[in-house]
Amino acid sequence: MARQRARELPEVSVSDDGVLRHLHLGTPWIQGSMRVDSPFDIALEYVQRMMAWLLFVAPETVGARQAMQLGLGAGAITKFCCRKLRMRTTAIELNPQVVAVCRAWFKLPPDGPRLTVVVGDAGEAIRDVAYRGCVDALAVDMYDDDAAAPVFDSVAFYEDCRALLTEDGCLAMNLFGRTSHYERSVARLCAAFGSEAVWAFKPTREGNTVVLAQRTPQRPPRALLLERAHEIEARWDLPARKWLRSFKPIT
């Protein structure tokens, strides 16, 4: 799930082991994956964790909400939000090859009433006033093609993200990166959202650390989170009770 700045956009390639299909951007690094026999499920653990915003909302309201993904990758979050959660979903991706490959190899549906894919610079596109205050679930997973560090990691960018969100909206971000500094990124998120609004998972075995930031800070009681986790598992087959063992506010 990557973006390229001053250089030519990388070639997009696909690998497949018969179980998982992977998207690559000019390197062996995996930029997204799909389970071949269940293309609308989320295959990777860290991507599943990016759906933990579901713990903060009543499950029966999800279908009336709006999702946005910055950096399409293999389209896992976009497809899940559109097809499984039945949300209006927008994805913004710089590289048109990524969009074409997702539609040819990763079952990304065509644009329609619930899905819009925008080819463009996410950092600029999110400043469009048409999106402001409209997004309930914002997923950010944009890396350079070497998967070294987030493309956007500034207070100003996080402030733009916050401006997109509805009052009970939530940003979910993957902070994996071989040269990124987790504490620095979290400090910038806190500067934009407030430290009381930020939650984090423990890192996965692969080193992906998913962090969530709420537009309006809330601390649901444990009993309510557990009730919602049970319902998330029943409705959408996500490991929500497992999330609760490694997910907590940072302060």
Side-chain angles (χ1 to χ4, degrees):
M1 300 177 184
R3 177 184 179 275
Q4 191 77 4
R5 286 183 184 274
R7 296 180 286 153
E8 182 179 350
L9 294 171
E11 282 295 318
V12 181
S13 61
V14 176
S15 63
D16 192 325
D17 62 11
V19 177
L20 291 175
R21 184 170 295 159
H22 307 293
L23 182 140
H24 310 269
L25 297 181
T27 75
W29 290 100
I30 292 171
Q31 301 284 355
S33 301
M34 178 188 76
R35 195 172 298 280
V36 175
D37 64 357
S38 52
F40 296 102
D41 291 339
I42 297 176
L44 301 181
E45 181 183 22
Y46 90 88
V47 184
Q48 292 176 346
R49 290 180 174 188
M50 293 183 72
M51 304 307 296
W53 61 268
L54 288 165
L55 292 166
F56 299 137
V57 300
E60 63 272 15
T61 70
V62 169
R65 294 176 179 271
Q66 184 165 334
M68 179 178 283
Q69 181 176 5
L70 307 184
L72 182 62
I77 290 174
T78 291
K79 292 186 299 180
F80 191 86
C81 289
C82 177
R83 282 292 184 93
K84 297 280 187 168
L85 301 184
R86 312 294 289 177
M87 298 172 71
R88 287 180 297 128
T89 306
T90 301
I92 301 174
E93 169 58 50
L94 183 69
N95 191 337
Q97 289 184 55
V98 170
V99 179
V101 168
C102 279
R103 292 212 151 116
W105 293 97
F106 291 89
K107 303 292 186 181
L108 180 68
D111 282 11
R114 284 202 313 273
L115 177 62
T116 303
V117 178
V118 177
V119 177
D121 185 313
E124 297 174 2
I126 62 173
R127 298 192 187 103
D128 188 332
V129 295
Y131 297 132
R132 192 168 298 165
C134 295
V135 179
D136 296 287
L138 176 63
V140 179
D141 191 8
M142 293 184 293
Y143 281 78
D144 57 33
D145 47 296
D146 292 323
V151 170
F152 297 113
D153 187 27
S154 68
V155 175
F157 171 70
Y158 297 134
E159 288 174 341
D160 287 339
C161 288
R162 187 175 186 272
L164 292 176
L165 297 176
T166 58
E167 284 303 308
D168 61 351
C170 188
L171 162 70
M173 185 165 186
N174 173 33
L175 289 179
F176 169 81
R178 289 176 289 115
T179 63
S180 66
H181 300 287
Y182 172 80
E183 293 82 4
R184 180 188 62 196
S185 297
V186 169
R188 291 171 177 170
L189 275 166
C190 289
F193 283 82
S195 59
E196 70 280 4
V198 180
W199 297 57
F201 280 93
K202 295 177 182 177
T204 64
R205 289 186 300 273
E206 297 77 19
N208 299 88
T209 302
V210 172
V211 178
L212 275 66
Q214 303 164 318
R215 175 67 175 82
T216 303
Q218 56 169 303
R219 299 289 174 89
R222 178 80 179 181
L224 178 58
L225 290 174
L226 187 57
E227 178 185 328
R228 286 178 175 169
H230 278 279
E231 192 156 0
I232 290 165
E233 291 186 356
R235 286 175 180 251
W236 301 301
D237 197 27
L238 291 167
R241 283 179 294 172
K242 184 179 177 182
W243 294 342
L244 296 180
R245 297 198 293 270
S246 60
F247 179 58
K248 63 181 182 180
I250 65 164
T251 59

